[in-house]
């Protein structure tokens, strides 16, 4: 079927009639939401594109761009966190007939800005950024572009366009309050240097507030570089002054917490008898350990899926809420105890 010469006469009713499906099925297929088989969704999207169907004038304008290309910027793929987010997004985009081009910023705002400039030159249908803190020039540039922008993993009251993520400050406070309620009063924290990962900084602030609420000192912060690996966690624990040891150590991620736990045991410390270990994210690692790490599970795949669905809605002329905050879930483990 060739593209219709006049898109003004093509609407959702014509697409539904041509595909032999209901209006709801067309709407679901175009937005990439569940309830439609993959085969039907692909057929509907292909027909809609061939017929030149776009729900409104703003969406029709995207027809002159790379209307099925979405640019995605992630900080890294060297851990399970953003790999899970990407997996959720890609499945949803592919089901709706969209492809994606992705790069990593290594938590560098300047690098993210350069990537965005290159990607915008391809005139993508939409842009996806990680976090809500960017180079000032990038925010201004995207505002001028007037195309859909999704920010993931973090939330703000003032997104560029729409955002889907978790409240990292609140997540840190929830985890900190649980650990403080066990009786711990001398915490330490192992993670990236301040200012490198804004979301991690928010979580640290939340943990610090939780301990301040019970009259304890703020966590001693130990900075490590080199990613979120087992080795980084082990290295970070090794930098803690054990002449005045903390009674619990928070880590940036579960992977780092596992590395820290191994280092603690090599140092002759019992976990959790002598020292508590706390992670973050609820990675699959924690489900197969004989002693699961105390952690906070984050909805990484759901962030990707829901974010992609909301972006598809924007691309098809709908207007989802600007801010979507997803819940986190505490997972008490065997690496902490009542003190």
């Amino acid at each position: 079927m060739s593209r219709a010469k006049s898109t003004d006469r093509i609407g959702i009713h014509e697409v539904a009639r041509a595909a032999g499906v209901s209006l709801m099925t067309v709407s679901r297929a175009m937005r990439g939401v569940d309830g439609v088989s993959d085969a039907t969704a692909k057929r509907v999207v292909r027909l809609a594109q061939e017929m030149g169907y776009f729900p409104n004038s703003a969406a029709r304008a995207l027809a002159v761009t790379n209307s099925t290309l979405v640019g995605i910027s992630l900080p890294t793929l060297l851990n399970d966190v953003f790999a899970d987010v990407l997996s959720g997004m890609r499945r949803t985009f592919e089901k709706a007939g969209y492809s994606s081009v992705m790069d990593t910023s290594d938590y560098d705002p300047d690098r993210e800005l350069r990537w965005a400039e290159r990607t915008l030159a391809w005139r993508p249908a939409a842009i996806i950024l990680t976090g809500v803190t960017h180079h000032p020039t990038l925010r201004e540039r995207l505002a001028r572009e007037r195309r859909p922008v999704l920010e993931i993993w973090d939330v703000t009251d003032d997104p560029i366009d729409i955002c889907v993520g978790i409240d990292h400050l609140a997540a840190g406070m929830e985890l900190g309050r649980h650990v403080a309620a066990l009786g711990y009063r001398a915490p330490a924290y192992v993670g990236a240097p301040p200012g490198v990962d804004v979301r991690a900084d928010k979580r640290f602030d939340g943990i610090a507030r939780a301990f301040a609420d019970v009259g304890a000192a703020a966590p001693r912060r130990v900075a490590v570089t080199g990613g979120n690996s087992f080795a980084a966690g082990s290295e970070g624990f090794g930098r803690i002054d054990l002449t005045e040891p903390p009674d619990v150590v928070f880590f940036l991620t579960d992977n780092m917490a596992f590395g820290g736990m191994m280092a603690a045991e090599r140092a002759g410390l019992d976990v959790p008898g002598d020292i508590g270990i706390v992670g973050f994210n609820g990675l699959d690692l924690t489900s197969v350990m004989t002693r699961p790490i105390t952690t906070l599970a984050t909805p990484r795949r759901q962030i990707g899926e829901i974010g992609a669905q909301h972006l598809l809605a924007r691309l098809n002329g709908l207007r989802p809420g600007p801010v979507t905050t997803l819940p986190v879930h505490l997972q008490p483990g065997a690496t902490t105890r009542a003190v």
Side-chain angles (χ1 to χ4, degrees):
M1 181 183 295
S2 61
R3 180 179 290 277
K5 293 182 180 179
S6 175
T7 61
D8 291 336
R9 293 176 294 175
I10 299 298
I12 192 171
H13 291 82
E14 286 72 23
V15 175
R17 189 178 303 116
V21 298
S22 67
L23 298 178
M24 180 62 73
T25 297
V26 175
S27 176
R28 287 180 176 275
M30 296 297 286
R31 289 182 290 133
V33 301
D34 292 335
V36 183
S37 70
D38 287 347
T40 298
K42 290 178 181 178
R43 182 166 60 88
V44 169
V45 170
R46 186 182 68 253
L47 273 173
Q49 293 172 347
E50 291 173 349
M51 295 172 70
Y53 166 62
F54 296 93
N56 61 20
S57 58
R60 275 199 300 273
L62 291 172
V64 300
T65 73
N66 255 320
S67 58
T68 61
L69 180 67
V70 176
I72 304 172
S73 174
L74 298 172
T76 180
L77 285 177
L78 297 179
N79 61 49
D80 296 338
V81 175
F82 297 111
D84 285 345
V85 173
L86 181 63
S87 176
M89 286 193 294
R90 278 189 164 169
R91 176 184 177 276
T92 304
F93 285 137
E94 289 173 359
K95 187 176 180 181
Y98 284 77
S99 58
S100 58
V101 58
M102 189 274 299
D103 201 353
T104 56
S105 67
D106 294 331
Y107 298 93
D108 183 347
D110 292 325
R111 182 168 178 171
E112 182 185 60
L113 173 63
R114 292 193 296 271
W115 167 85
E117 292 288 358
R118 294 194 305 271
T119 305
L120 288 170
W122 301 337
R123 298 186 61 79
I127 289 287
I128 298 176
L129 304 173
T130 301
V132 295
T133 304
H134 315 285
H135 194 291
T137 302
L138 177 56
R139 187 180 180 96
E140 295 169 2
R141 177 81 164 85
L142 292 173
R144 291 197 305 270
E145 283 289 320
R146 301 180 65 83
R147 70 183 64 241
V149 176
L150 167 67
E151 293 168 288
I152 55 169
W153 187 229
D154 201 358
V155 292
T156 177
D157 292 334
D158 183 31
I160 296 172
D161 187 7
I162 56 176
C163 63
V164 177
I166 65 172
D167 185 330
H168 288 265
L169 177 66
M173 290 181 67
E174 181 176 349
L175 189 58
R177 284 169 177 164
H178 168 74
V179 175
L182 293 174
Y184 291 101
R185 291 295 182 270
Y189 177 90
V190 175
V196 172
D197 183 347
V198 176
R199 280 80 58 185
D201 291 344
K202 291 179 180 179
R203 297 199 299 269
F204 175 82
D205 290 343
I207 294 168
R209 290 189 191 184
F211 278 89
D213 287 344
V214 297
R220 286 178 274 169
R221 189 162 186 172
V222 178
V224 291
T225 57
N228 307 319
S229 64
F230 301 144
S234 177
E235 176 190 348
F237 188 89
R239 294 183 182 182
I240 295 174
D241 182 5
L242 295 181
T243 60
E244 295 183 5
D247 54 11
V248 64
V249 184
F250 292 83
F251 288 84
L252 178 65
T253 67
D254 294 332
N255 287 344
M256 291 180 68
F258 178 80
M261 182 170 68
M262 296 298 98
E265 293 181 345
R266 285 197 302 272
L269 298 173
D270 177 73
V271 178
D274 298 322
I275 194 167
I277 298 290
V278 181
F280 188 81
N281 274 315
L283 302 179
D284 291 342
L285 166 75
T286 63
S287 66
V288 299
M289 295 175 61
T290 56
R291 284 178 297 160
I293 295 170
T294 296
T295 187
L296 201 71
T298 55
R300 302 173 301 281
R301 190 176 298 273
Q302 291 90 334
I303 288 173
E305 291 174 351
I306 294 172
Q309 290 169 5
H310 286 194
L311 191 61
L312 289 171
R314 286 281 290 109
L315 287 166
N316 286 287
L318 304 178
R319 191 70 188 179
V323 182
T324 301
T325 304
L326 299 182
V328 295
H329 301 284
L330 180 69
Q331 291 184 346
T335 57
T336 53
R337 64 182 179 89
V339 177

